[in-house]
Amino acid sequence: MRRRAGALTVTAAVLCLSSGCGVPPSGVVEVGEPATGMTLSKAVYFLDAESSLHAVARPGISDTNPVAAAVRELLAGPTPTESEYLTTALPPDLPQPEITVGTATILLRFPTGTPRLTPAALHQLTCTTALTTHPNRPRPAPPSGAAAPQPTPPTIHITIPNTPPQPLPTPDTCP
């Protein structure tokens, strides 16, 4: 008896799918503007298994001091769930840097005793900082009918006392 009920259920499902189950077709349904909310600027960059950068949402990043909040979130590392597929190149007890945000440059100054950072760690810091500031950069008004110019990413400097200067990735290399 069970086999027959299973066969009938499968047959009914096939008939329903092939006939559309009596649901009439509809035209295009307008739903309005796309949803808005969290911007990509509230995110940090971690590394996947191939050491590629991936932005991860951090809605708790404050709007009052977004660069410091984003760097603090980055230094905290991936959440336990994110740790299953993402990692960080930043040392576990890396101190929060002093951060100075200018109109065209951002300086992250780490305290004395900070270890030399790997290129991947510098890339995480640079891209997180650029992502936090780049979308909000002031844009000149375009002439009527012209496309809006793309904002210029900030120049980011990362300094570590008693460490020779290292080449830094530019925000243009961020995904």
Side-chain angles (χ1 to χ4, degrees), residues 137-151:
R137 308 290 297 169
R139 299 178 188 188
S144 63
Q150 293 298 312

Side-chain angles (χ1 to χ4, degrees), residues 33-112:
E33 293 296 315
T36 60
M38 184 182 72
T39 62
L40 187 58
S41 64
K42 293 188 177 198
V44 296
Y45 280 97
F46 292 119
L47 304 169
D48 66 13
E50 288 81 36
S51 297
S52 296
L53 289 173
H54 287 278
V56 178
R58 287 292 186 269
I61 293 175
S62 74
D63 291 328
T64 55
N65 194 348
V67 176
V71 171
R72 194 170 24 262
E73 289 282 335
L74 178 64
L75 296 179
T79 65
T81 302
E82 293 165 350
S83 293
E84 294 176 16
Y85 57 95
L86 295 172
T87 188
T88 182
L90 298 166
D93 21 348
L94 189 65
Q96 177 81 11
E98 177 185 322
I99 299 171
T100 306
V101 179
T103 55
T105 62
I106 299 172
L107 173 63
L108 280 70
R109 186 177 306 123
F110 284 93
T112 302

Side-chain angles (χ1 to χ4, degrees), residues 20 29 43 61 69-70 74 81 83 98 101 117 122-123 132 154 158 160 162:
V29 178
I61 293 175
L74 178 64
T81 302
S83 293
E98 177 185 322
V101 179
L117 299 177
L122 293 170
H123 209 182
T132 303
I158 300 173
I160 303 169
N162 303 321

